[in-house]
Amino acid sequence: MAIPIPSRQLFIDGKWAEPVLKKRISIINPATEEIIGDIPAATAEDVELAVAAARKALSRNKGAEWSKAPGAVRAKYLRAIAAKIIERKEVLAKYEALDCGKPLDESAWDMDDVAGCFEYYADLAEGLDAKQKTPLSIPMDTFKSHVLKEPIGVVGLITPWNYPLLMATWKVAPALAAGCAAILKPSELASVTCLELADICQEVGLPAGVLNILTGYGPEAGAPLATHPHVDKIAFTGSTATGSKIMASAAQLVKPVSLELGGKSPIVIFDDVDLDKAAEWTAFGCFWTNGQICSATSRLIVHESIAAEFLDRLVKWIKNIKISDPLEEGCRLGPVVSGGQYEKVLKFISTAKSEGAKILCGGGRPEHLKKGFFVEPTLISEVTTSMQIWREEVFGPVLCVKTFSSEDEAIELANDTHFGLGAAVISNDLERCERVTQAFQAGIVWVNCSQPCFCQAPWGGNKRSGFGRELGEWGLDNYLSVKQVTQYISDEPWGWYKSPSKL
């Protein structure tokens, strides 16, 4: 049963704040196309207030309250946030299902991951203290040297709508663990749970200004945040086109950025596999999160000797996926996030048909669902490498397929993309899997599976999928500045110049 969405304001300096221009954005439930609430629409004026609050939070009491506090102090807040997430898990999962169309079981799983991520970075925050001033081995005994890791400063975090709270947490948790002050700008298409995170931060007493949350449109709120001279770093997850614009604007101020962008990831199926296991991982790799995942293994590359039988088996798995309202029990595929995304996905499918590809299953709206932005899970064959469906990211439940005859050909097809986020190989020959793993041009490789993600392991891509790594210790390093400290410890003078007293 649907639950009412709370009406929230922006979260600036530890308080709820009405947008300066008093604008709001309607929330549309993608399963019903009904307006179910609204969120505040921040503009450049609100960005100014949030940046000022963040800078004040960094320097308050000369940093003793946050940026220069022991990591154990920050860890206490991160753990308190994690506990509140678990406490509110059921409600948060429902909000997210209503807001972005994600199946409720997925949303609940995401909330567990959100809490786990805050817990993980609490541990790393504590561990940071022990790593400070680690001595460096240097070749001159008249000096000693060590490294300090310090928060990079005020960070702007711009996050997408496919994992609204989880993708935000991937940035918020390490940024806070590092001692930064942050301004989060979630996608206007799914911001509800990020505003609930603000409520949780207020409840646990997070110091004012440490985390500010601005909902709103990219051009009106995201762009002023990305270009603000007093924001020290931008971390962005989203489209390659927007990432390119952020990188260009950051270049004017020589501002560091980390970018997690699009993907067109391959899944390579060899001829020695269990067909059902391979079919399920193939379906999961593309249709999980309603197909709206940057790392989706949406290019299926299957050995020609098993292709016909495998595709026949895969179609049966796909047709068995339960498509329904996300709150309905057992839902495994909900709607795409918006009307615009729905039209975009259908256009990809119609273009593939017009270019000569064949729709093996799916391709339109499910017959039993008359409303909502639902697209059937779709499998497209007879694809050439010049087709749009092979080259461009769909961000919807659409899988295209090509066959191969040799390992070298499979690798060549897998790497035939401007992107390089994820890649999967399925084979019982583990030596072959190792060769293929090394040959893939991707930041993440899955062997005999697709899409598992753990907050302890690095996440990020190569080529036009961006650069920098989130999660793990790499995620914390994103928000730390490294300072070398070297001290001269000899009692003797340096002696490079002649002393004036001896002339």
Side-chain angles (χ1 to χ4, degrees):
M1 182 180 169
I3 51 174
I5 302 285
S7 183
R8 301 284 190 197
Q9 299 290 3
L10 304 174
F11 189 65
I12 300 174
D13 204 20
K15 300 181 286 289
W16 297 108
E18 189 176 17
V20 171
L21 299 186
K22 298 181 170 51
K23 291 182 177 178
R24 295 189 75 84
I25 300 165
S26 294
I27 303 168
I28 296 171
N29 179 345
T32 64
E33 303 180 46
E34 294 171 355
I35 294 173
I36 55 172
D38 57 31
I39 55 169
T43 55
E45 294 85 349
D46 304 297
V47 171
E48 286 295 336
L49 296 172
V51 173
R55 295 225 73 87
K56 187 171 71 178
L58 277 186
S59 58
R60 192 183 296 122
N61 297 330
K62 296 185 177 176
E65 191 175 301
W66 190 255
S67 58
K68 295 185 188 304
V73 170
R74 298 192 294 273
K76 182 185 73 172
Y77 290 106
L78 295 178
R79 289 200 180 99
I81 291 169
K84 288 288 179 190
I85 296 286
I86 292 300
E87 198 178 291
R88 300 190 188 187
K89 171 183 167 179
E90 189 178 333
V91 171
L92 290 170
K94 282 182 180 171
Y95 286 163
E96 204 143 279
L98 289 167
D99 196 18
C100 73
K102 184 178 292 236
L104 184 60
D105 288 346
E106 276 192 43
S107 298
W109 194 348
D110 285 357
M111 295 311 132
D112 288 333
D113 285 349
V114 166
C117 195
F118 274 109
E119 287 278 2
Y120 174 73
Y121 281 106
D123 291 345
L124 289 199
E126 285 180 335
L128 199 54
D129 293 340
K131 290 181 180 178
Q132 297 288 30
K133 298 188 178 180
T134 303
L136 300 173
S137 177
I138 53 176
M140 296 180 71
D141 58 11
T142 50
F143 295 92
K144 67 177 182 180
S145 193
H146 67 261
V147 163
L148 292 177
K149 290 191 172 184
E150 300 175 336
I152 208 164
V154 171
V155 293
L157 314 174
I158 302 176
T159 57
W161 44 258
N162 56 337
Y163 286 82
L165 189 53
L166 185 58
M167 293 288 102
T169 298
W170 281 18
K171 292 174 171 49
V172 168
L176 299 192
C180 293
I183 299 130
L184 170 64
K185 207 301 280 183
S187 167
E188 72 279 3
L189 292 175
S191 295
V192 170
T193 47
C194 288
L195 290 173
E196 293 308 294
L197 174 63
D199 190 55
I200 286 170
C201 288
Q202 199 173 45
E203 205 172 306
V204 304
L206 188 73
V210 163
L211 177 62
N212 307 274
I213 301 178
L214 304 179
T215 56
Y217 294 111
E220 293 177 13
L225 179 60
T227 57
H228 200 289
H230 295 141
V231 172
D232 300 302
K233 172 173 180 153
I234 294 291
F236 171 77
T237 297
S239 73
T240 300
T242 304
S244 178
K245 287 178 189 170
I246 286 172
M247 195 171 169
S249 62
Q252 308 306 308
L253 297 167
V254 198
K255 181 184 300 189
V257 296
S258 49
L259 303 173
E260 204 265 81
L261 307 175
K264 192 71 180 176
S265 301
I267 181 166
V268 177
I269 312 286
F270 283 92
D271 55 356
D272 59 350
V273 298
D274 177 299
L275 294 184
D276 278 314
K277 281 184 187 173
E280 184 179 10
W281 279 118
T282 300
F284 185 81
C286 189
F287 304 136
W288 165 249
T289 313
N290 304 340
Q292 299 169 132
I293 181 167
C294 48
S295 59
T297 39
S298 58
R299 289 185 303 132
L300 167 60
I301 300 165
V302 60
H303 195 280
E304 60 186 15
S305 68
I306 62 164
E309 188 183 357
F310 180 74
L311 293 177
D312 182 59
R313 193 77 56 94
L314 180 58
V315 166
K316 289 184 174 71
W317 276 89
I318 292 171
K319 287 183 173 177
N320 200 41
I321 293 171
K322 180 172 180 177
I323 312 167
S324 69
D325 185 294
L327 296 181
E328 198 173 300
E329 190 172 343
C331 173
R332 287 296 176 263
L333 192 87
V336 296
V337 74
S338 67
Q341 193 66 17
Y342 174 77
E343 296 298 334
K344 181 183 162 194
V345 173
L346 292 182
K347 182 75 165 57
F348 265 104
I349 295 168
S350 68
T351 299
K353 285 194 323 202
S354 70
E355 288 181 340
K358 180 182 178 184
I359 311 300
L360 287 183
C361 67
R365 167 186 286 283
E367 286 181 13
H368 67 289
L369 294 163
K370 306 304 179 192
K371 274 199 165 180
F373 309 126
F374 291 93
V375 179
E376 293 172 301
T378 301
L379 179 60
I380 302 178
S381 67
E382 297 179 23
V383 170
T384 67
T385 57
S386 61
M387 287 182 183
Q388 181 198 43
I389 198 67
W390 178 263
R391 308 224 66 85
E392 295 182 26
E393 182 175 41
V394 177
F395 227 68
V398 181
L399 176 64
C400 65
V401 57
K402 275 191 72 59
T403 62
F404 70 92
S405 58
S406 69
E407 187 178 308
D408 286 346
E409 186 187 3
I411 290 164
E412 188 179 336
L413 286 168
N415 291 335
D416 179 34
T417 172
H418 293 304
F419 298 105
L421 184 52
V425 55
I426 299 189
S427 170
N428 287 327
D429 182 340
L430 294 183
E431 287 184 8
R432 173 196 278 151
C433 289
E434 181 65 24
R435 290 192 302 270
V436 173
T437 292
Q438 292 185 25
F440 280 150
Q441 295 165 359
I444 305 155
V445 175
W446 296 292
V447 177
N448 290 328
C449 59
S450 180
Q451 305 309 317
C453 176
F454 302 96
C455 65
Q456 297 80 4
W459 183 277
N462 307 334
K463 300 195 274 190
R464 292 187 197 172
S465 291
F467 51 83
R469 293 293 180 267
E470 295 193 293
L471 301 183
E473 294 189 9
W474 302 266
L476 185 64
D477 287 342
N478 269 333
Y479 301 100
L480 290 168
S481 179
V482 177
K483 179 183 283 182
Q484 178 215 134
V485 180
T486 297
Q487 179 184 350
Y488 184 59
I489 56 174
S490 172
D491 292 333
E492 297 298 316
W494 182 228
W496 182 254
Y497 301 106
K498 285 184 179 178
S499 169
S501 63
K502 293 182 180 177
L503 290 176

